[in-house]
Amino acid sequence: MATRARILLVYTGGTIGMIKDYSTGALKPFNFNDLLQNIPELNILENEIDTLSFEHPIDSSDMNPEEWRKIAKIIYDSYESYDGFVILHGSDTMSYTASAISFMLENLNKPVIFTGSQLPIGDLRTDAKENLITSIQIAGLQKNGCPVVTEVGLYFEYKLYRANRTTKINAEHFQAFASLNYPPLAESGVHLAVNSKILWKQSRKQQLKLHVNFNTDVLVLKMFPGITKEIVNHIFSYPNLKGVVLETYGSGNAPTQTWFLDLLEEKISNGLKVVNVTQCAGGSVAMGNYETSVAMKKIGVVSGKDITTEAAIAKLMYLLDKNLTQKVFKTIYETSLRGEMS
């Protein structure tokens, strides 16, 4: 008889954890101690499920590195007791949190699956039940006594994605997320089909390491036609600024005006880390392909390749805490650490 996988279900907040009070019509937090009673379908799964809820569940709009630390520490402290983890989270910032957790948990060898919903769990047309049930099923998948998925994933509307490859693309449709630069790790239909060839695999099994420190002296600057020297100079004048994710056009192109390049060069020479990502929904930065990005490459702007903005900012905050030189930072940032870039 197959061993029943032990799954820890962690509720941080968000729509999925709400249920309608039919006497008032208002939404109220769901009591996860009554999980099996409210979702009897979970009894069919061959898993042992424990639940844990934040003492004060929060809207995902209020997520920040302090809350990321809580999630990561829960996983780290419970790591040896469970075979997999499912994190229930509001959808608005789920890609940011899930990306950050992927960097915080080095040498992860068990599944950590993020999910949520567009409608509350008690709604008649909710997507919450399917997302929750399949996420638990994925977290419990084993082959030869070992977990099938050994990375941080994000499951939504019949698809499991690598979490740090995702972005939220729709606020109304059930298919709220996309991974435009990496295919789904698994798809749920009549059967649960896992694409084993593209799963993240550690070169060798090592002890889990927890990284909890993030440097938040960062910003995202999206380029747009008409951006002025005064605006950029003002933004970059923040005295504690340590890192910038620069959202550029197309394959990494930005203005070639002297004032812009001179300002970047000055800031980089003074230690500022600048990462170039595309503001396109899909595709990759390819610095040097066009004249408009050659100069940025020469002055030390780091290529984000095909990383998402969500993963880019999480990776930037993660690496800034390491106090790396510009050269070492560039080398490490342009290297895929958790499968976040090609």
Side-chain angles (χ1 to χ4, degrees):
M1 184 176 177
T3 303
R4 289 163 60 90
R6 295 199 67 204
I7 307 299
L8 180 62
L9 180 64
V10 181
Y11 175 57
T12 69
T15 300
I16 193 171
M18 309 300 286
I19 194 166
K20 184 175 288 186
D21 184 335
Y22 289 100
S23 63
T24 64
L27 296 175
K28 61 181 182 180
F30 181 65
N31 184 354
F32 276 85
N33 292 326
D34 300 328
L35 183 66
L36 294 178
Q37 179 182 339
N38 285 273
I39 312 177
E41 295 92 337
L42 292 178
N43 288 303
I44 302 173
L45 296 176
E46 296 181 352
N47 298 314
E48 295 179 21
I49 304 169
D50 289 337
T51 62
L52 188 154
S53 177
F54 273 21
E55 184 178 357
H56 302 290
I58 63 173
D59 187 283
S60 71
S61 298
D62 289 321
M63 270 290 167
N64 57 62
E66 184 57 40
E67 305 300 332
W68 296 347
R69 280 189 277 272
K70 289 181 186 178
I71 297 170
K73 196 163 189 315
I74 288 170
I75 297 168
Y76 183 79
D77 291 343
S78 308
Y79 193 69
E80 297 303 325
S81 301
Y82 294 93
D83 301 298
F85 302 86
V86 174
I87 313 298
L88 304 183
H89 190 289
S91 61
D92 284 351
T93 62
M94 190 186 298
S95 289
Y96 289 95
T97 299
S99 295
I101 296 298
S102 75
F103 295 116
M104 298 173 85
L105 300 174
E106 185 180 356
N107 301 325
L108 182 67
N109 271 292
K110 294 180 181 181
V112 175
I113 311 299
F114 278 77
T115 196
S117 65
Q118 295 288 63
L119 291 175
I121 207 163
D123 195 280
L124 182 63
R125 297 178 52 254
T126 186
D127 55 331
K129 285 190 176 183
E130 198 285 321
N131 286 347
L132 175 58
I133 290 168
T134 306
S135 292
I136 293 173
Q137 187 178 12
I138 291 169
L141 285 178
Q142 295 191 357
K143 184 177 181 180
N144 299 325
C146 298
V148 172
V149 177
T150 57
E151 60 180 291
V152 181
L154 188 156
Y155 181 82
F156 227 90
E157 188 63 5
Y158 306 115
K159 291 183 180 180
L160 174 70
Y161 302 108
R162 175 164 298 155
N164 55 33
R165 290 287 196 144
T166 63
T167 190
K168 187 173 181 181
I169 58 167
N170 201 299
E172 295 184 356
H173 294 174
F174 287 144
Q175 190 173 344
F177 289 86
S179 172
L180 295 167
N181 290 328
Y182 203 76
L185 306 181
E187 296 192 49
S188 176
V190 175
H191 303 287
L192 182 58
V194 179
N195 191 345
S196 301
K197 293 182 180 179
I198 63 170
L199 294 176
W200 181 254
K201 296 178 179 65
Q202 301 289 345
S203 56
R204 65 176 189 266
K205 190 171 181 178
Q206 297 180 354
Q207 186 174 0
L208 181 69
K209 293 181 181 178
L210 178 64
H211 302 270
V212 296
N213 295 323
F214 280 74
N215 190 316
T216 57
D217 292 322
V218 299
L219 61 84
V220 177
L221 177 61
K222 186 168 187 171
M223 304 306 299
F224 60 90
I227 194 168
T228 66
K229 176 181 179 180
E230 291 74 22
I231 288 175
V232 177
N233 193 53
H234 178 73
I235 291 172
F236 278 26
S237 66
Y238 173 60
N240 293 324
L241 187 62
K242 298 295 190 298
V244 173
V245 171
L246 197 64
E247 282 196 351
T248 56
Y249 311 121
S251 58
N253 304 310
T256 56
Q257 284 97 327
T258 302
W259 68 261
F260 181 71
L261 294 172
D262 286 349
L263 179 59
L264 281 182
E265 186 172 21
E266 176 192 346
K267 296 298 181 180
I268 291 171
S269 65
N270 289 331
L272 184 69
K273 311 296 192 299
V274 180
V275 178
N276 186 5
V277 304
T278 177
Q279 55 186 248
C280 295
S284 177
V285 161
M287 291 173 64
N289 276 10
Y290 294 90
E291 183 182 354
T292 48
S293 63
V294 168
M296 288 199 298
K297 184 176 182 180
K298 286 182 179 179
I299 63 177
V301 173
V302 177
S303 174
K305 300 182 180 179
D306 60 352
I307 197 170
T308 63
T309 296
E310 293 90 336
I313 199 74
K315 187 174 185 178
L316 178 60
M317 290 191 284
Y318 166 69
L319 288 179
L320 282 175
D321 182 67
K322 311 300 181 187
N323 295 317
L324 306 171
T325 64
Q326 287 282 15
K327 184 177 181 180
V328 174
F329 176 87
K330 177 178 170 64
T331 299
I332 296 178
Y333 200 100
E334 293 181 353
T335 301
S336 179
L337 302 180
R338 311 284 192 270
E340 72 281 359
M341 58 172 60
S342 298

